Structures are given as structure tokens and as C-alpha cells.
Amino acid sequence: MYKLLIVDDEPQILEGMKRTLDWEKYGFGSIETSETIEDAISKAVAFYPDLAIFDVCIGKDRGYDAIRRLNELGLPAKYIIMSGYSEFEYAQEAIRCGVKDYLLKPVNRTKLQQVVEKIIVEDLHGTLEGADHDDVNIDPVLGVRYDSLSKLVNRILLMVKTEYTQNITLKMVAEQFRMNGTYLGQLFLKETQMKFSEYIMAYRMLRARERILSTDEKIASIAQSVGYSNPGYFYMHFHSFFGKSPSDLRK
């Protein structure tokens, strides 16, 4: 049985996260919660969780600082960061700490489920009985398994997933990795057979399609939520990508 630690300074968030998934179904027999960084570190050392979910801001402290400390202590847990802020700096620090994913609040149940299932299969070497979950391990744009990609490309994909709502560029990613932008772009193209700009556009289109089909939000609002400040560009890209307009898709 797995152990889960959830860390947030808001008690209602802790209770909500405990109810978001049927954790027992996924093999988590023990769940502990903490509302402070100090308590979280103490509990993690004593509890030895397999998975720990940290809010990025816990009072005046940062969740990734606690993760960094636990990494230094050699704790073999896997980590997820959740945040109410889509801040590039927070995503950068999360990546440096080796977190498995960075989820924006309110945490989407389906997204959390996919991340947890991926961790169980790939990191905890467990199984997901009773269903075919192969798609969880496959990149939605590239159609290939994450474990078939290099560590560098997986880190780039993580940055796209966490920052696609912002004006993320190859130059920004290259600066984060302290690499030449042209060289990094060539490496990404060689491994994925896609330019970075093509990948992020495709990822935004898939996220937009999900929201169009699952919500009643206005198209202009959805366009902005996936990183398009100009609705005209969004409509043009969407029609080019799917062969139909957002409103036609929703019919």
C-alpha cells in the first residue's frame, strides 16, 4: 500500500484533495496532511510517503523549498506541486526540484488522476488494474510514450504544460536551461519531428478543445485561457488545426 502526504495551509483544500480521488482505489492506504512546512518535513521523515503533494505557497514559505530539503535528506518520494498562481518562476523552481507535475488550482480531477496514474506506473512500478490507462503515459501531441523521450525534452514538455497559458517562447526555455536557443530548437525538432512553436500551438489547441466540449465558457474567454490574447489568431489556428471553427465543434 502506498502512502500520501498533502501539504497546504488551507484546511478546506486539504479536505478537498482527500476527496478529489478515490485514493484507496489507487492503493494509497495511508494519508497524512500538514499545514506548515516544518510539520510537513517532520511528517515526511517519519511517515516516508510514496507521493507528496505540496502547495507552492504555504504561509510565507514555498513548497519547493521543502521538497528541496527532503531531496537533500534522500527521501525517495515523488512530488506534485499545486498552485493558484501561473507564475513562470514557480514552475522553474518546481522543475529544478524534480517535481512530476505542476497543477493549477482549482485542481482539475481528471488532470490529477492522469498525473497520479503516471506516477504509479512509471515511478512506483505499480499497476492500474481493471482498465486500460496506456494513454496516460503518452504525450497528447506527439503520440509517443514519455519514457521514449529524453530527459531534456520531457523537461521542456513539463514547462509547456505549466506555462502554456502565458507567453512562453523557445528563448525563455533556452534561458532557463542556459542553452543556445537555436541549438535547443534543433534538438527539440530532431527528437519530436515538430518545431517548438508547432508543439505549443498544438498543445493549446487540444486544451482549448477540451474546454469547448466540457464547459459553456465563451470562446473568447477560452482563447485567452490557453494563451491567445488575440481571438482572431485563435480562431485562425483552431480552424487550421481541426478543420472547423470552435462554434462548429461545440454544436
Side-chain angles (χ1 to χ4, degrees):
M1 298 293 280
Y2 304 125
K3 301 176 187 176
L4 171 67
L5 174 65
I6 309 173
V7 186
D8 196 296
D9 58 359
E10 298 183 50
Q12 66 270 29
I13 297 293
L14 293 175
E15 288 303 312
M17 289 298 292
K18 287 169 67 175
R19 295 192 301 267
T20 298
L21 293 184
D22 183 350
W23 293 103
E24 187 174 354
K25 168 186 172 183
Y26 286 102
F28 288 89
S30 301
I31 300 178
E32 290 284 347
T33 61
S34 291
E35 296 181 28
T36 68
I37 289 295
E38 294 79 6
D39 183 62
I41 292 176
S42 296
K43 279 189 176 177
V45 171
F47 184 54
Y48 232 63
D50 298 283
L51 173 64
I53 303 176
F54 278 81
D55 185 20
V56 74
C57 294
I58 304 169
K60 296 182 179 180
D61 298 311
R62 297 293 179 262
Y64 48 71
D65 288 332
I67 293 173
R68 186 178 294 113
R69 175 60 177 153
L70 293 173
N71 284 336
E72 291 172 353
L73 293 173
L75 205 74
K78 305 304 174 185
Y79 300 99
I80 296 172
I81 284 278
M82 56 182 178
S83 173
Y85 310 90
S86 180
E87 292 286 346
F88 190 66
E89 177 186 350
Y90 291 157
Q92 286 178 316
E93 292 298 333
I95 289 171
R96 291 191 185 107
C97 292
V99 303
K100 305 307 295 185
D101 218 316
Y102 185 101
L103 305 179
L104 292 179
K105 292 180 176 178
V107 174
N108 179 276
R109 181 185 181 281
T110 299
K111 177 61 177 175
L112 176 64
Q113 178 181 339
Q114 291 176 340
V115 174
V116 169
E117 289 177 350
K118 186 173 187 292
I119 290 172
I120 289 173
V121 172
E122 296 189 0
D123 298 289
L124 303 181
H125 308 295
T127 60
L128 303 170
E129 299 179 359
D132 180 6
H133 294 84
D134 285 346
D135 60 327
V136 175
N137 306 315
I138 296 175
D139 183 82
V141 175
L142 302 175
V144 300
R145 292 179 60 87
Y146 289 111
D147 58 12
S148 70
L149 300 170
S150 68
K151 182 178 180 179
L152 175 61
V153 167
N154 270 297
R155 291 179 68 194
I156 294 173
L157 299 185
L158 175 59
M159 291 188 72
V160 171
K161 288 191 292 182
T162 57
E163 295 298 319
Y164 73 93
T165 62
Q166 308 299 315
N167 184 31
I168 183 173
T169 65
L170 181 62
K171 180 180 178 182
M172 293 169 60
V173 176
E175 289 176 352
Q176 160 66 18
F177 295 148
R178 298 179 182 177
M179 296 178 65
N180 176 274
T182 300
Y183 178 64
L184 184 62
Q186 291 173 344
L187 288 178
F188 188 84
L189 175 62
K190 182 178 180 181
E191 188 166 341
T192 67
Q193 306 303 308
M194 292 184 74
K195 294 180 180 178
F196 178 80
S197 59
E198 294 173 336
Y199 180 90
I200 194 167
M201 186 197 78
Y203 189 81
R204 283 170 169 160
M205 291 298 102
L206 294 179
R207 296 288 78 83
R209 181 178 64 178
E210 287 181 1
R211 299 185 72 153
I212 289 170
L213 294 176
S214 63
T215 74
D216 294 323
E217 288 183 75
K218 292 182 179 180
I219 302 300
S221 176
I222 291 176
Q224 188 171 18
S225 73
V226 297
Y228 281 85
S229 57
N230 186 324
Y233 281 122
F234 173 76
Y235 278 88
M236 181 177 65
H237 287 174
F238 194 94
H239 193 280
S240 175
F241 193 82
F242 292 111
K244 60 178 65 177
S245 69
S247 56
D248 286 338
L249 180 67
R250 183 170 266 174
K251 289 179 181 178

